[in-house]
Amino acid sequence: MSGILDGKRILISGVLMESSIAFHTARLAQEQGAEIILTAFPRPTLTERIAKKLPKPDDVKVIELDVSNDEHLARLEGLVREHLGDRLDGVVHSIGFAPQDALGGNFLNTPFESVATAMHVSAFSLKSLTTALLPLMTEGGSVVGLTFDAQFAWPQYDWMGPAKAALEATSRYMARDLGKDNIRCNLISAGPIGSMAAKSIPGFPELAAVWDERSPMSWDLSDPEPAGRGVVALLSDWFPKTTGEIIHVDGGLHAVGA
Ligand code: NAD
């Protein structure tokens, strides 16, 4: 059976738990014919354990990567060459982090140091991860990241909001600079999912409740598959001239005012 990612080689960051959007992306990518390599933070052993639950667990290599660590970024290209070969067709950025004092209704008191960490790990890293891998993307490709709609100020989300706004702008500038190499850069704007990242946001249920009240389509907090499907679609050849775009996988909430 043929899949929409047949023959593609894809690096996927952000597999931490089975609830990770990246885990479902990895699962769907394998089902659709891709060869994948995972990056892991904070410990490869955690990601290796979860990777055993993928459809083809024996085909998956895991590389340690803290996106705020320049040494990790510098050695990434060589490790990918070693494990996956000399060509990469896709990169999934599924990474977000903000310190506790940058979340949960503390917006006016958050120190810049915490804001800087959120920006570094959640936004700048889209650029640094991609440029670390550019020498391997010799035949064009697709970079896909995950955002949470940064057009609005949400309850509790605090400095992750400006970090996501920076991620969205970074994606557009990457699209501008990488289009000449036939590399697309797009984001999926997902509705709330009860992952580790979400659980670390104090008051996350309050944020998620917005979807119960306003989403045109019913929304399942425990189902990361729709977001994963969106990522896989953008990795495929079915969006050949789409770049700098943000596609909402949010049950349609972005489209309604009340
Ligand atoms: P998750 O906790 O499973 O994934 C977050 C990932 O970020 C983890 O794998 C973690 O290891 C990684 N990470 C954190 N700091 C890192 C660092 N310094 N270096 C490398 N990796 C690091 O949660 P998720 O919900 O699957 O999040 C994936 C992406 O989706 C994030 O960008 C998140 O902001 C975004 N997103 C999540 C939701 C949601 O409600 N869960 C909604 C929209 C967008």
Side-chain angles (χ1 to χ4, degrees):
M1 219 176 73
S2 66
I4 61 171
L5 298 183
D6 270 348
K8 294 206 184 290
R9 296 175 184 172
I10 292 164
L11 178 140
I12 300 175
S13 65
V15 175
L16 182 63
M17 312 280 280
E18 257 183 284
S19 56
S20 296
I21 296 169
F23 173 79
H24 293 269
T25 303
R27 174 175 64 76
L28 293 160
Q30 280 195 333
E31 286 171 10
Q32 291 299 320
E35 227 180 308
I36 62 170
I37 190 162
L38 304 180
T39 69
F41 175 87
R43 280 189 305 283
T45 46
L46 283 178
T47 299
E48 277 159 6
R49 201 167 65 215
I50 301 298
K52 291 205 169 70
K53 301 185 176 188
L54 288 169
K56 296 176 201 159
D58 299 335
D59 297 350
V60 183
K61 284 280 180 299
V62 176
I63 300 175
E64 182 183 16
L65 176 70
D66 173 349
V67 277
S68 60
N69 182 322
D70 288 340
E71 283 167 26
H72 286 191
L73 286 164
R75 72 182 186 203
L76 184 62
E77 178 198 338
L79 290 171
V80 174
R81 273 188 206 282
E82 203 177 292
H83 296 308
L84 201 64
D86 290 333
R87 192 198 78 239
L88 193 65
D89 306 298
V91 177
V92 177
H93 178 284
S94 191
I95 295 171
F97 174 76
Q100 282 295 296
D101 60 359
L103 297 164
N106 194 38
F107 190 82
L108 297 180
N109 300 310
T110 304
F112 180 66
E113 202 186 2
S114 298
V115 173
T117 301
M119 291 283 174
H120 191 177
V121 175
S122 311
F124 182 73
S125 64
L126 179 68
K127 198 275 322 175
S128 39
L129 176 64
T130 305
T131 48
L133 295 165
L134 267 187
L136 296 164
M137 298 184 80
T138 47
E139 295 176 26
S142 172
V143 178
V144 186
L146 274 306
T147 190
F148 187 69
D149 202 335
Q151 295 178 86
F152 307 105
W154 299 102
Q156 316 298 338
Y157 205 54
D158 290 10
W159 283 97
M160 271 307 286
K164 288 301 191 192
L167 176 77
E168 293 179 5
T170 302
S171 175
R172 287 188 285 271
Y173 278 85
M174 303 238 308
R176 182 195 71 178
D177 287 357
L178 299 177
K180 66 178 183 338
D181 300 319
N182 200 27
I183 296 171
R184 297 171 285 124
C185 188
N186 295 291
L187 301 176
I188 290 294
S189 184
I193 289 154
S195 62
M196 276 295 274
K199 285 177 184 148
S200 73
I201 302 172
F204 178 73
E206 193 187 321
L207 174 55
V210 178
W211 264 255
D212 291 338
E213 287 157 22
R214 288 184 32 212
S215 174
M217 300 178 82
S218 68
W219 184 256
D220 182 356
L221 266 186
S222 66
D223 185 9
E225 177 158 336
R229 282 185 176 256
V231 175
V232 166
L234 284 169
L235 289 169
S236 80
D237 293 333
W238 288 91
F239 280 99
K241 293 293 174 190
T242 297
T243 194
E245 185 61 277
I246 300 174
I247 297 187
H248 291 83
V249 179
D250 67 345
L253 187 128
H254 71 281
V256 294

